[in-house]
């Protein structure tokens, strides 16, 4: 048997890679992790989940003071924005959390190899001047922003998500290209801080992949908050003149063009897997038509000993999906059975209110049931009927549960509610355990909590909600 430098080498230290590294080390494997950034934690901790939530959280307070919500509760304040401090607390969150991963690497004896990794062969990776060998190699290189052809991101007037997290002043007019998760979260941040925000979306609805009712209702809520939408519209060009941009847009299906003036343009039309410069061919690997690395259910690629997880493989590009795959791949490499149930991965948009879902949308559940000669039942409960939401002045949104009509097994749960991201964990656990809507309806939920809306939606599946 060959003598390797490490048992496991992981390329990339995002939530997929760093979790895989820690788990592998916990399982007694000699582990190293290659990372080219200055700090560990990948997109998520450095320029993704964490900094965006730091700005979302802070701007929620500003908005509550500015839009009269606090005054409604007897607190009169006129907020004054200290953007420098808002950024400082964002940077502090990043530093604390990325430093935390470095601490966990030391604690678990994971070696951090600083630099870009590229395959030499299936068991060898070049990192700078160094050549490192390992019995198993995990590709966890994540993803980066998808460029829009013909539009140059200068991170001043035309920004991607990273630039939009670091703006040094509130734009007068921000145009967001793409009504997906990033566009809505970061568009909300700058709208709350005073920018006029226009969202240009190619499709006829925002939030592709979410349940149809949720997409419609979210659009209404964002409009009410002041975001303007141009749906079924594509951007055909952006020209920058000094600190102003002119966008040319036209109907997605073709038609007369018009122009929009802005002082900030956010390009957020999706992300693509990072495989450039990895020299995958030297390991005997190729990518699929979407540029992703295909694996089997154990996260093994077509080359024995080479594994892949996270944004670089198919599936939703989410930190918690990458983390779960990180644990599973380490367990599989160690000879255990690591499994991820891809049917139960929650999605959350961290706006106000939050938007969350897990499992099938009503559209997909109905289509699948019809194909199999079955039926579905749907229960809905409005947050306006939930005592806690009402008391907190948070009447927007609803919870919706989709169940199989015959077995009553829950197939999907969707919610728009201020703490929907936290509420959805209950639904994910229930679905993981094979819960029926009756199981949820007869589970005691604490009062007064927003989560009672989940219980009521479960009751509504069989026509029995109380508070409507
Ligand atoms: P990444 O986090 O992308 O990490 C990959 C790492 O690999 C990077 O650090 C990169 O530098 C390194 N790397 C790449 N190639 C090499 C190489 N050749 N050699 C060495 N190192 C390399 N997801 C959520 O679930 N919740 C959220 O709230 C959320 N918010 C987001 C907000 C924004 C603005 C963005 C952009 C993304 C957000 N995401 C969110 C998505 C989430 O960040 C990703 O799904 C997640 O980070 C993917 O993890 P990963 O480990 O696969 O890859
Ligand atoms: P997205 O895939 O969520 O949305 C992109 C949107 O842009 C879609 O609605 C699409 O129809 C639209 N679009 C595509 N091309 C267009 C064009 N030329 N003109 C106008 N619209 C166009 O991608 P987004 O928002 O960039 O996010 C990338 C990834 O990051 C997502 O997959 C998401 O999973 C992840 N993410 C997750 C977050 C969370 O979990 N809260 C937060 C932020 C990002």
């Amino acid at each position: 048997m060959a003598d390797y430098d490490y048992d496991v080498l992981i390329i990339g230290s995002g939530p997929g890679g760093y979790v895989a590294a820690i788990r592998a080390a916990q399982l007694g494997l000699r582990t190293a992790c290659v990372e080219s950034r200055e700090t560990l934690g990948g997109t998520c901790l450095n320029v993704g989940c964490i900094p965006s939530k730091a700005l979302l959280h802070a701007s929620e307070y500003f908005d509550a003071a500015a839009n009269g919500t606090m005054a409604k509760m007897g607190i009169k304040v006129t907020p004054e924005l200290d953007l420098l401090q808002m950024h400082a607390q964002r940077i502090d969150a990043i530093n604390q959390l990325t430093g935390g991963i470095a601490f966990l690497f030391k604690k678990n004896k994971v070696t951090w190899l600083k630099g870009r990794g590229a395959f030499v062969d299936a068991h060898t990776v070049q990192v700078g001047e160094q050549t490192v060998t390992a019995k198993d190699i995990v590709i966890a290189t994540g993803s980066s922003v998808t460029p829009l052809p013909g539009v140059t991101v200068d991170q001043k007037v035309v920004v991607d998500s990273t630039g939009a997290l670091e703006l040094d002043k509130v734009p007068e007019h921000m145009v967001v290209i793409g009504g997906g998760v990033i566009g809505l979260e970061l568009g909300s941040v700058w709208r709350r801080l005073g920018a006029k925000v226009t969202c240009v979306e190619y499709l006829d609805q925002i939030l592709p992949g979410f349940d149809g009712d949720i997409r419609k209702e979210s659009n209404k809520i964002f409009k009410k908050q002041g975001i303007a939408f141009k749906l079924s519209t594509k951007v055909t060009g952006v020209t920058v003149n000094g600190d102003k941009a002119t966008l040319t847009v036209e109907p997605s299906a073709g038609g007369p063009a018009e122009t929009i003036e802005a002082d900030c343009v956010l390009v957020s039309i999706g992300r693509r897997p990072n495989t450039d410069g990895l020299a995958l061919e030297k390991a005997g690997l190729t990518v699929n038509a979407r540029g992703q690395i295909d694996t089997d259910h154990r996260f093994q690629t077509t080359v024995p000993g080479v594994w892949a997880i996270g944004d670089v493989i198919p599936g939703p590009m989410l930190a918690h999906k990458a983390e779960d795959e990180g644990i599973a791949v380490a367990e599989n490499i160690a000879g255990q059975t690591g499994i991820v149930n891809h049917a139960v991965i929650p999605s959350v948009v961290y706006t106000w209110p939050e938007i969350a879902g897990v499992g099938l949308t009503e559209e997909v559940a109905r289509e699948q049931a019809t194909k199999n000669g079955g039926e579905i039942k749907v229960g809905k409960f409005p947050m306006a009927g939930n005592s806690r939401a009402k008391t907190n002045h948070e009447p927007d949104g609803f919870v919706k549960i989709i169940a199989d009509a015959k077995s009553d097994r829950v197939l999907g749960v969707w919610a728009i509610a201020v703490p929907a991201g936290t509420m959805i964990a209950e639904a994910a656990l229930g679905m993981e355990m094979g819960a029926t809507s009756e199981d949820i309806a007869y589970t005691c939920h604490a009062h007064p909590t927003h989560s009672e809306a989940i219980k009521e939606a479960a009751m509504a599946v069989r026509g029995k909600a109380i508070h409507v």
Side-chain angles (χ1 to χ4, degrees):
M1 178 150 146
D3 192 14
Y4 296 109
D5 297 328
Y6 295 97
D7 296 321
V8 190
L9 180 77
I10 292 147
I11 311 177
S13 74
Y18 86 71
V19 168
I22 292 171
R23 186 50 137 203
Q26 286 173 342
L27 293 169
L29 301 171
R30 292 173 307 143
T31 307
C33 182
V34 187
E35 174 56 61
S36 55
R37 270 180 215 275
E38 291 299 307
T39 46
L40 299 170
T43 303
C44 172
L45 268 57
N46 289 283
V47 290
C49 323
I50 295 304
S52 58
K53 266 77 260 179
L55 290 187
L56 279 157
H57 186 63
S59 62
E60 268 167 20
Y61 280 96
F62 187 87
D63 200 30
N67 72 15
T69 308
M70 283 173 77
K72 243 187 238 168
M73 294 186 270
I75 309 160
K76 283 192 182 171
V77 279
T78 309
E80 184 190 341
L81 181 62
D82 180 352
L83 190 54
L84 220 56
Q85 172 57 21
M86 201 176 275
H87 281 314
Q89 59 92 39
R90 166 181 61 81
I91 293 164
D92 184 49
I94 297 172
N95 290 342
Q96 288 200 35
L97 293 173
T98 55
I101 308 301
F103 165 80
L104 290 175
F105 269 19
K106 274 203 190 110
K107 183 179 161 195
N108 289 284
K109 300 193 173 50
V110 174
T111 306
W112 173 7
L113 301 172
K114 296 184 185 181
R116 282 200 78 76
F119 280 99
V120 176
D121 62 43
H123 294 284
T124 313
V125 169
Q126 184 84 35
V127 187
E129 301 293 295
Q130 210 181 347
T131 303
V132 192
T133 60
K135 181 166 178 290
D136 289 283
I137 296 177
V138 181
I139 305 169
T141 48
S143 65
S144 41
V145 176
T146 304
L148 181 57
V151 178
T152 309
V153 169
D154 58 19
Q155 300 295 28
K156 289 192 185 90
V157 180
V158 183
V159 296
D160 59 18
S161 55
T162 302
L165 289 167
E166 294 169 0
L167 299 179
D168 58 10
K169 64 176 178 23
V170 179
E172 273 171 38
H173 185 201
M174 173 184 246
V175 174
V176 172
I177 310 178
V181 194
I182 291 182
L184 295 168
E185 287 189 355
L186 296 181
S188 291
V189 165
W190 295 105
R191 197 269 310 149
R192 292 168 188 170
L193 299 181
K196 175 184 167 199
V197 175
T198 304
C199 174
V200 181
E201 166 58 48
Y202 186 84
L203 301 174
D204 62 355
Q205 268 302 338
I206 58 170
L207 288 177
F210 280 65
D211 179 87
D213 275 346
I214 294 277
R215 296 174 75 183
K216 274 190 223 122
E217 187 64 20
S218 314
N219 201 348
K220 271 194 217 152
I221 293 170
F222 290 126
K223 263 195 214 162
K224 201 166 71 181
Q225 291 176 351
I227 298 184
F229 288 90
K230 279 190 160 300
L231 303 178
S232 305
T233 303
K234 64 181 172 196
V235 174
T236 53
V238 178
T239 51
V240 177
N241 196 349
D243 55 4
K244 297 269 182 267
T246 305
L247 294 94
T248 313
V249 300
E250 62 180 51
S252 303
E258 58 174 309
T259 56
I260 310 175
E261 305 291 323
D263 58 340
C264 183
V265 179
L266 165 59
V267 181
S268 50
I269 59 162
R271 294 178 62 81
R272 59 179 186 184
N274 286 334
T275 54
D276 279 359
L278 265 181
L280 290 178
E281 67 289 350
K282 293 196 180 158
L285 278 168
T286 51
V287 293
N288 67 21
R290 303 190 61 194
Q292 300 155 325
I293 298 172
D294 283 321
T295 70
D296 63 13
H297 68 284
R298 301 174 68 242
F299 308 104
Q300 166 115 34
T301 68
T302 48
V303 177
V306 183
W307 312 71
I309 55 169
D311 281 10
V312 81
I313 71 168
M317 288 180 163
L318 296 172
H320 41 282
K321 178 238 184 209
E323 286 189 53
D324 285 9
E325 290 177 349
I327 289 180
V329 79
E331 292 178 350
N332 287 325
I333 289 170
Q336 302 183 353
T337 306
I339 295 171
V340 176
N341 180 4
H342 285 103
V344 182
I345 294 185
S347 288
V348 182
V349 188
Y350 295 87
T351 46
W352 182 276
E354 292 178 345
I355 304 161
V358 61
L360 302 182
T361 62
E362 182 176 343
E363 295 75 28
V364 172
R366 199 174 294 287
E367 190 188 312
Q368 287 187 4
T370 309
K371 219 182 278 170
N372 301 327
E375 276 178 51
I376 59 165
K377 293 181 296 185
V378 177
K380 245 173 119 171
F381 186 79
M383 291 314 291
N386 173 273
S387 59
R388 184 66 179 275
K390 223 174 160 55
T391 308
N392 289 3
H393 313 278
E394 301 159 351
D396 287 336
F398 59 86
V399 175
K400 172 174 175 176
I401 298 189
I402 303 145
D404 181 86
K406 199 162 166 223
S407 68
D408 191 34
R409 194 170 167 152
V410 175
L411 303 173
V413 179
W414 295 87
I416 302 178
V418 167
T422 306
M423 289 160 68
I424 209 71
E426 166 189 357
L429 180 64
M431 288 178 65
E432 195 64 49
M433 309 301 284
T436 60
S437 78
E438 187 184 49
D439 290 331
I440 297 176
Y442 286 99
T443 297
C444 189
H445 286 63
H447 175 78
T449 59
H450 295 82
S451 292
E452 288 174 281
I454 294 194
K455 178 187 171 90
E456 293 257 26
M459 289 176 165
V461 171
R462 295 176 317 140
K464 287 193 216 155
I466 300 288
H467 296 94
V468 272

